[in-house]
Amino acid sequence: MAMLLEDIVQSVEMWLKLIKKPQSYVDPNLDPVLLVPGIAGSILTAVDDKNGKEERVWVRILGADYKFRTKLWSRFDPSTGRTVSLDEGSRIVVPEDRYGLYAIDVLDPDMIIGRECVYYFHDMIEEMIKWGFQEGKTLFGFGYDFRQSNRLQDTMDRLAAKLESVYKASGGKKISMISHSMGGLLVKCFMGLHSDIFEKYVKNWIAIAAPFRGAPGYIASTFLNGMSFVDGWEQNFFISKWSMHQLLIECPSVYELMACPHFKWEHVPLLELWREKQDCSGYSRTILESYGPGESIEIFKQALKGNWIDYNGESIPMPFNLEILEWTKKTRKVLAEAKVPHGVKFYNIYGINLETPHSVCYGSEETPITDLEELRLYEPTYVCCDGDGTVPAESAKADGLHAEARVGVPGEHRGILCEPHVFRILKHWLKAGVPDPFYNPVNDYVILPTAFEMESHKEKGLQVTSLKEEWEIVSEDQVDLGDVTSQKPFVSSISVSQGGNRQSSRAEAHATVIVHPQNEGKQHVELNAISVSVDA
C-alpha cells in the first residue's frame, strides 16, 4: 500500500524531471557551511588534569550511567555563569576532530546495534557530501558543552574563533550556519551580542526546530521527572532518566528553554495539578489547579526542595535553582533584542504534524496530589498542540526576526535532520549540488516542496491511505502569463495497481496532479493520491 503511493510520488517527480542520481564530487564554488547542534548533541570528553588522559563521557555504552554521574554532574557558579563539574580533577572538552564534525555526527561511535538512535547530523553530513561539500573546506561543525548557558562568554569566544577559522579555510567566503534545536538560541545569542562579527562572517543562517519561545511541556516535565535522550529498548544501554534529571537541574541551558512568560501564546502553557482541598465547611473535594509559566516557579521550588544526590559519599542538595533563573532573565533579554544584521539572510524550518507537549498535568480526580515533593514519582499527562513532538510549532515559528522564509515540515524533533523534505529545502537555499535534482539546466527552474500530508485509517475491512504533496516551480524566465485567473489548471491522472492470487494481496492507488499557472515565473503543482488495499 505504502509502496504504491511511493510509486505515484516517484512518477510525478519523474514527470517533473527531478530524478537524477547525485554523484559524489567536490564543488569548489560552494559557500562554507557550519553545523550547530542542540542540547545533548555534542560528544563530550573528560580530560584528567593530572595525566591528560581522555575518555568519552557523552555518549557511551559501557559504564555510561556511572561515567555520566561521576564526570558530568555539576553545580552552577553564579559568579561566572558556568556550571562546573563536581569532579574537580577533570575538565570537559569537545573533540575537534574532522573540523568539528566528529563531535556532532554519531554521538557514540562504539554503538553498533541501534546506532541510529545516536545519529545526530550524520545523515545530513552524508547528504551534503553528495552535493559537493568537503570536510575542512566547505563543511564544518561546532560542538559545545550543552550544559552551559547559551550566552556563556567562553562559548561565544569559541564560536567567534570558529567563524574566523572557517572563513579563512574556505578562502574568504561567507558562511551559511545551520542550527538545530537549542543551537538556534545559541546562534541568536551570539548574533545579539556580537552582531559585528556575525555580519562579517555569516551569509545565511538556517534555524531548524528552534525553541525560540521555549518547549513548555517538555521542559516542565524535565524539571520534575527528567529527560530521556533516546526512546524504546535503547534506553537499557543509556543514561538513566534519574541521572539525567540531576544534571539538568543545574544546567542554565535547560532553564533557557522554559516557556517564555512574556510571549503572547495562542493558548498559555500550564502546569496543572489535581489536589484535594477543604472548603469552609470542612468538606474535602478534588479540584484542578492551573499555573502559568511564571506561577509554575513556586511549584518547581516546592517539588524540588528535598531533591539531593549522593556524590562520593557526600549528600549534595539539588533544588530548583533560583540563581540560574536570574541568569536566564538576562539571556531572554539578549534573545529579545537580537536582530539579523544587514546583508545576512535568515531562514526558519520548523516541525509540524506531531502531538507536542504544551501543558502538563499531574494526578487525577481519583488520585489527587497530596505532597508536592512526590510529583517526581508521578507520570505526567499532556495537553498537546501541533509541533515536532518536543517544540510546539507556535514557539519555533516565533523567531522575532526578519525571515526570508519560514517552512513547516512534518517531522520529529531530532528525526527532522534526516527528512528528505528538509534536504530538498536546504539544497535549494544553499544553491548546492551538481547536478541538482531540483534544477533543470534546460528549462532553468527550481522546484521547492511546500506541503506534505499523509493520513491512514481502516474502513470496512479496507486499509485507506491518503497523500497530499505540493511543489512550487520557480523559473528564472519571468514569463508574463497575463491574467492567470483566466487560465485553467492542467489536470492529469495516474493509477498504480498491485495484483495477486489472493484477494488480501490486492491493492490499488489513484492520483490526480493539478498544475496551477501563476505569475512571476511560478507554477504550483498539487498531488492528491489515495491508496486502498484489503486489510489482511
Side-chain angles (χ1 to χ4, degrees):
M1 173 192 59
M3 289 300 295
L4 294 180
L5 287 179
E6 192 172 306
D7 289 341
I8 283 184
V9 173
Q10 289 185 358
S11 297
V12 175
E13 290 180 336
M14 289 179 66
W15 174 67
L16 293 172
K17 299 187 184 298
L18 292 178
I19 299 300
K20 291 184 180 179
K21 185 178 180 180
Q23 301 294 320
S24 295
Y25 67 101
V26 174
D27 185 351
N29 299 314
L30 289 172
D31 293 322
V33 169
L34 180 63
L35 304 176
V36 182
I39 192 167
S42 305
I43 289 177
L44 300 182
T45 302
V47 180
D48 191 306
D49 288 333
K50 292 182 179 180
N51 55 30
K53 180 181 178 182
E54 298 184 5
E55 59 178 339
R56 191 175 67 253
V57 293
W58 179 266
V59 176
R60 57 181 291 161
I61 303 176
L62 300 177
D65 203 69
Y66 172 75
K67 291 296 182 181
F68 184 88
R69 288 184 278 114
T70 55
K71 300 297 182 181
L72 286 183
W73 272 0
S74 319
R75 294 304 301 269
F76 178 71
D77 183 350
S79 65
T80 62
R82 176 186 292 276
T83 188
V84 183
S85 296
L86 295 177
D87 179 11
E88 298 177 354
S90 64
R91 53 193 171 86
I92 300 299
V93 299
V94 180
E96 289 291 336
D97 310 56
R98 289 175 51 205
Y99 311 97
L101 291 169
Y102 170 79
I104 65 173
D105 187 344
V106 180
L107 299 184
D108 185 357
D110 292 337
M111 181 174 276
I112 300 176
I113 299 176
R115 191 175 186 183
E116 291 81 2
C117 75
V118 290
Y119 279 4
Y120 202 89
F121 274 113
H122 178 75
D123 287 4
M124 186 177 292
I125 292 170
E126 293 291 310
E127 192 72 17
M128 293 181 73
I129 289 174
K130 294 178 183 177
W131 301 344
F133 286 93
Q134 183 181 12
E135 294 186 9
K137 295 292 184 181
T138 51
L139 188 57
F140 305 82
F142 180 74
Y144 57 95
D145 185 348
F146 51 80
R147 301 175 302 168
Q148 310 296 342
S149 166
N150 287 292
R151 64 177 176 92
L152 185 71
Q153 191 57 50
D154 286 357
T155 308
M156 299 290 96
D157 291 343
R158 284 189 60 242
L159 184 52
K162 187 73 176 187
L163 288 172
E164 183 179 8
S165 67
V166 171
Y167 181 79
K168 290 180 178 178
S170 62
K173 292 183 179 180
K174 284 195 171 185
I175 303 156
S176 291
M177 301 183 74
I178 300 177
S179 64
H180 174 250
S181 190
M182 190 182 74
L185 300 189
L186 186 145
V187 173
K188 193 177 182 184
C189 279
F190 184 87
M191 190 174 68
L193 294 171
H194 303 285
S195 178
D196 54 338
I197 300 176
F198 202 86
E199 183 176 357
K200 180 179 180 180
Y201 294 124
V202 178
K203 180 179 182 179
N204 304 305
W205 169 29
I206 302 171
I208 302 176
F212 286 112
R213 303 298 174 171
Y218 193 70
I219 295 302
S221 60
T222 291
F223 278 132
L224 296 172
N225 309 107
M227 173 198 298
S228 292
F229 184 70
V230 299
D231 297 318
W233 65 270
E234 288 95 345
Q235 292 185 48
N236 297 322
F237 303 97
F238 222 64
I239 311 302
S240 73
K241 199 172 183 180
W242 181 84
S243 293
M244 180 70 85
H245 178 254
Q246 305 311 317
L247 172 77
L248 299 179
I249 289 297
E250 291 290 313
C251 288
S253 57
V254 174
Y255 288 69
E256 291 165 354
L257 296 176
M258 295 173 67
C260 182
H262 306 300
F263 178 58
K264 294 183 179 180
W265 296 91
E266 182 177 353
H267 301 288
V268 177
L270 302 172
L271 173 60
E272 298 184 323
L273 307 174
W274 284 98
R275 302 180 75 180
E276 193 173 67
K277 296 287 186 179
Q278 285 189 341
D279 59 24
C280 56
S281 303
Y283 290 102
S284 295
R285 61 193 182 96
T286 303
I287 62 172
L288 182 63
E289 299 177 344
S290 298
Y291 303 88
E295 301 166 318
S296 300
I297 303 301
E298 188 59 35
I299 301 298
F300 294 144
K301 286 167 55 180
Q302 293 297 318
L304 297 171
K305 66 181 181 181
N307 187 48
W308 59 275
I309 62 169
D310 184 354
Y311 187 83
N312 286 342
E314 179 185 359
S315 294
I316 301 176
M318 290 282 187
F320 184 77
N321 197 313
L322 299 179
E323 291 176 321
I324 297 181
L325 198 63
E326 284 301 310
W327 176 275
T328 300
K329 291 178 181 178
K330 296 179 182 178
T331 303
R332 285 208 178 102
K333 188 173 186 295
V334 171
L335 291 169
E337 295 176 353
K339 303 295 181 186
V340 178
H342 176 73
V344 179
K345 292 184 177 181
F346 168 69
Y347 303 85
N348 186 346
I349 297 175
Y350 55 93
I352 57 174
N353 285 14
L354 286 182
E355 292 288 294
T356 303
H358 182 70
S359 293
V360 188
C361 182
Y362 288 89
S364 66
E365 193 169 7
E366 294 75 23
T367 56
I369 304 296
T370 56
D371 184 351
L372 287 180
E373 290 191 55
E374 293 182 355
L375 278 180
R376 290 172 292 164
L377 307 177
Y378 281 78
E379 283 293 324
T381 57
Y382 299 106
V383 174
C384 292
C385 61
D386 184 42
D388 61 22
T390 299
V391 178
E394 180 182 9
S395 172
K397 285 191 292 186
D399 47 66
L401 302 171
H402 172 72
E404 301 296 318
R406 295 183 182 90
V407 181
V409 176
E412 184 268 336
H413 184 66
R414 196 149 58 95
I416 200 171
L417 291 178
C418 57
E419 279 291 329
H421 283 269
V422 172
F423 293 159
R424 291 178 181 179
I425 295 167
L426 290 180
K427 195 168 186 180
H428 174 61
W429 286 343
L430 297 174
K431 297 179 173 62
V434 180
D436 187 334
F438 313 113
Y439 182 78
N440 184 313
V442 177
N443 298 323
D444 198 26
Y445 62 71
V446 293
I447 297 179
L448 180 65
T450 58
F452 180 85
E453 299 176 8
M454 179 178 283
E455 295 182 356
S456 184
H457 67 277
K458 294 181 180 180
E459 180 180 314
K460 297 181 179 179
L462 299 176
Q463 182 73 29
V464 181
T465 302
S466 60
L467 168 73
K468 179 179 180 181
E469 188 162 9
E470 299 179 12
W471 298 271
E472 195 83 8
I473 304 178
V474 185
S475 173
E476 291 294 329
D477 298 325
Q478 300 297 313
V479 180
D480 185 7
L481 299 177
D483 183 9
V484 296
T485 58
S486 63
Q487 299 187 31
K488 295 182 179 180
F490 170 77
V491 182
S492 182
S493 298
I494 299 174
S495 296
V496 181
S497 63
Q498 175 182 303
N501 295 326
R502 295 182 303 169
Q503 186 180 10
S504 60
S505 64
R506 293 190 57 82
E508 57 184 37
H510 303 280
T512 302
V513 180
I514 307 173
V515 181
H516 301 273
Q518 298 181 18
N519 55 13
E520 297 182 353
K522 295 182 180 179
Q523 285 183 313
H524 191 79
V525 180
E526 180 181 340
L527 166 68
N528 292 286
I530 186 167
S531 173
V532 180
S533 63
V534 176
D535 184 11

